[in-house]
Structures are given as structure tokens and as C-alpha cells.
């Protein structure tokens, strides 16, 4: 399997779908499934039955996973960019294709 180009904590922009253009931070990355959960994006409503812990029940809004191909890394100016891997000082680092900036610390 290919190395993960988008990881937890990355700033990403949504490229397609109902939330196209929204930006957010990746809160959960699932590389085996090829999905990511982005903060404030792809909100789904779940109906919860009343329980002893939550006697009211009701609607719960959660962030649903997005396919990794629907998001792109964001550069400093807010535009989407692809990510490539380079070897610098003997280490494999992620680099933004548009700017050439190193993504990993």
C-alpha cells in the first residue's frame, strides 16, 4: 500500500461534493480504508434512542469520513496542492508540489 500523503493534523480543502471548497483539519486518518475525517466537514445526522446516560435522545451531528481523493493539502495561501515524497538529509519527507515547501517538521 502507498504511503499516506495526508495525515492527522494536516490542513486540507475539500475538492468535490456538497462541502466543496471548505477547509479543515484532519482529525482522523484511516489509510487502510483510504478515508479521512475532517473537522466541520461532511456532517451527518444520527438519530439516537433515549438511554439512561442520555434520557432525552434526539439528533446527534457527527463528522462522517470522506474518501482521501476528495481532499487536497492546503498551502499557506489557502490553495490546494498535491503532495510528493522526497529524500532530504537521508529522511523521507512530504513536500508540497506547487510551492516546494516541506510539510513535515
Amino acid at each position: 500500500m502507498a504511503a499516506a500523503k495526508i495525515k492527522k493534523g494536516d490542513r486540507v480543502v475539500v475538492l468535490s461534493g456538497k462541502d466543496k471548497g471548505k477547509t479543515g483539519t484532519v482529525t482522523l486518518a484511516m489509510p487502510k480504508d483510504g478515508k479521512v475525517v475532517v473537522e466541520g466537514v461532511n456532517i451527518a445526522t444520527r438519530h439516537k434512542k433515549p438511554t439512561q446516560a442520555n434520557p432525552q435522545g434526539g439528533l446527534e451531528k457527527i463528522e462522517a469520513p470522506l474518501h482521501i481523493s476528495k481532499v487536497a493539502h492546503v498551502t499557506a495561501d489557502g490553495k490546494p496542492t498535491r503532495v510528493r515524497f522526497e529524500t532530504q538529509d537521508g529522511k523521507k519527507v512530504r513536500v508540497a508540489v506547487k510551492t516546494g515547501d516541506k510539510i513535515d517538521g
Side-chain angles (χ1 to χ4, degrees), residues 36-89:
V36 291
V37 175
V38 182
E39 186 179 344
V41 175
N42 199 24
I43 302 295
T45 304
R46 294 283 174 256
H47 297 259
K48 291 291 182 182
K49 282 187 172 180
T51 61
Q52 286 198 338
N54 180 12
Q56 184 65 32
L59 302 177
E60 180 183 272
K61 296 193 181 296
I62 61 163
E63 294 149 351
L66 281 168
H67 195 268
I68 206 159
S69 65
K70 289 183 174 258
V71 298
H73 202 277
V74 175
T75 58
D77 59 356
K79 294 187 178 173
T81 183
R82 295 187 314 275
V83 176
R84 103 174 133 238
F85 289 98
E86 288 182 1
T87 305
Q88 296 177 356
D89 302 325

Side-chain angles (χ1 to χ4, degrees), residues 15-47:
L15 300 175
S16 65
K18 65 179 183 179
D19 294 319
K20 180 178 179 178
K22 287 186 181 178
T23 59
T25 305
V26 175
T27 57
L28 176 68
M30 299 178 271
K32 286 187 179 175
D33 299 332
K35 296 183 183 249
V36 291
V37 175
V38 182
E39 186 179 344
V41 175
N42 199 24
I43 302 295
T45 304
R46 294 283 174 256
H47 297 259

